Each structure stands twice: as structure tokens, then as C-alpha cells.
Amino acid sequence: MEGAVTQKAPSLCFVAPHLYPVLDPATKVDFVGGAEGQQDYISRECARRGYGVSVVSLDFGQVDGASISNVTIYKTHKPGAGLPGVRFFHPRLTKLWAALKRADADVYYVRCAGMLAGVVAVFCKRYSRTFIYNGAHDTDFEPGKHLIRFKRDVLLYEFGLKHADLVIAQNRRQQELARHYYHLLSVLIPNCYALPNGYNPTPDEKRTTILWVSTMREWKRPELFLALAKALPRYKFIMVGGPSNYGTDSYYNMLCDRAAGIENLTMTGFVPYDQVDGHFDNACLFINTSISEGFPNTFLQAWARGVPTVSLFRLQGSASDIMPGSYVDTYEELLEQVTCLMGDEHKRIEMGRACEYYYRNNHQVEKIVDRFLRAIIDAADHSGGDTSQVSQL
């Protein structure tokens, strides 16, 4: 797969509203999720291998058709643009559809549950293109639990999911859910991660912080990390993340008020994607408190550095995988395990080495993109799309 691209290789379009600020870190935004990080790695690596790659993203002031690392960016509407009641149709649908046409790709890819999946599926049916949906969270495949605000968008999402030429799951549980609830077969392709260029490992003795990184949402249960910091005052805790990009900030403000009284806790607020890595460099332990996830990028950021993870969410890989790190079911078990690992440096370092070994063998970008390209080329071949229509309309 690393070889030269053949003449028949499909062109790829990643439909990702918030991806541009990741591709261009100079763009100032206050929200970036894990799905954007994954698409950043995959799109850049595909472009590096010679594939035609484009991105359809919101209008953050960039020039339409601009190129970053050989990835061409087509913009839709500005964030928040339009009048309530009509903005779903214009400018959102109209500008999205126009950007999809300008991209003129063979394969269109959507990651995250939402109305985009349905719209892109309709577009691909209309113009005989290949549509790929990639799960980003376990609830993407659980009816009634989708992280989608409007019923209209749920209906569009489920239409798109059911009409995808290929469904990609991040873990075994997602495969099982897709098969059980939607009668869909899927390909398992886990997340990937690359250490920054010039990465220099921090010596173990200088890794002193217990770290939590995510967007502040109720199902992430950040209040449990606050309780952990309060219960273990001898250790330094750092909490990285800002409020969700939808809804009010009342939940985030409540967390800030509670954190203010915990002297050994630093709450950073939102940190740009390209700057989060520095917090992992200095961590000796990473904590996840979520009820559910997909495959958190934060696990890979920790594991790549030999930082062990302790999680209330049980991660699942393939059927044969024994996942590294520590998994607990209650806050009391979390407190006990963190206390144990912080009191036993040898055990903590050994667990971190096992995490790093697992990362190197399963989650490096080149290996994951090999699997990704094999899957989408097969899907494009079997969908039989005619790629001659869009540019004529």
C-alpha cells in the first residue's frame, strides 16, 4: 500500500465541518474533537501517498480550494450562519451540497453521527459515488442513544448509516451493535496516532501529573476527576478541556466553581489540538471517567508515551485483544487503583511500557491507513460508481 498510486486509485473527500482548524492550527476555535484528529492523520497520510484528497469544512475564513499538505479544502457556511427556522436549508444544505460538488471525489467519508451522514448518502446516490460512514462513538450504533440533538437529524443519520457502501467500526462493541440494531456488517479499523515530529521522551522521574483530557460534557463525568483530586491532595492533577460546542456553559461553569477550591488541581480550559500533547509529555497517569466512548484518541496519546491509563470506560479492540491499562467499574475502584499505582512506581512504569508496546503494534498511522485504503478501495470497486457526472452539473 506504500507504493505508487495507480491510475484507478479513488479520490477521497472527508466531510468534516471542524477539520480545517486542525489542518491549520493558526485558526482560532474553542472546540476540536477526536474525530477531527483522526481525519487529520488519515487525510494527510493518504495525500502523502499520492491519493487525491479533499476536505469539506465550515468557513473559518480560509480561501476556498486552498491546499494544506496536498489536501484541498472546500468550504461551506460560516459557523452559526443563517436564520433560525430556515438555516438548515440555507445556507447549510445549499452550501454543503455545492462544496460536495466542487470536491468531485470518488469516495465521500463522514465520521460522527448526525445529519451529514444522510445528506452525503443522498449526494452519493444522486451522483453514483461511494459513501463511507465511520463510527466515532459506541452510541452511533445504539438507537435512542445517539448524541444528536434533533429528531430530524436522527432520521437523516439513520438513513445515511443504512445506505453506506462501507461502515467502519472503531472497536468490537461497535461491530456488535451495528449488527444487532441495524443488521449491518462493518469493518473494524481502530484509531491511529503519531507522536509529534522531534518528540523527546520525558524521563520517568519528571512525569509528575495525573491527567484528564476531554470536552466537558455530562456523560464524560469530569466531576469524578475533581473528586479524585480532592481525595488525593499529595498529587498534582491537571484537567484539560473546555465546554461543549453546543448548549449552554452552565455545566462547565459549575465545574470551574467546584475546581476553584481544590488546591492541587489545575483546570486549563480549552487547549488547541496541536498543544495538548505537551500535557501528556509530563503525565505519569491518564484518567478516563466517561460512561461511554468510541476509541479515545487520548488513550493513544498516553500509550505512545508509555503513560498508563485508568478508565471507567471499558475499551474493546478486536476479539483477540487484551487491552492495556487498567479498567474499573466504580469511583471507589478508581480511587483505589490510582492510589495503588501512584504508590508503586515500578508497577506504574511497567504498565506504561505495556501500553506503549500495544500502541506500536496496533495504532501507528501507517498501519491503520493501510487497512483504511484496502477497505475503501474494495468498497469503491463494489459500489460501481460512475465518477463522470458532478463536474458537468
Side-chain angles (χ1 to χ4, degrees), residues 298-312:
T298 49
F299 279 50
L300 302 183
Q301 288 172 288
W303 292 352
R305 294 167 168 80
V307 178
T309 51
V310 183
S311 177
L312 282 159

Side-chain angles (χ1 to χ4, degrees), residues 352-390:
R353 287 174 178 165
C355 291
E356 183 178 5
Y357 178 83
Y358 185 87
Y359 156 77
R360 291 186 181 278
N361 282 279
N362 295 279
H363 295 284
Q364 295 196 72
V365 173
E366 292 81 4
K367 293 180 180 180
I368 298 305
V369 172
D370 283 347
R371 295 168 63 173
F372 174 80
L373 289 173
R374 282 195 294 268
I376 66 164
I377 289 171
D378 183 65
D381 287 345
H382 285 87
S383 68
D386 175 5
T387 62
S388 64
Q389 301 179 50
V390 173

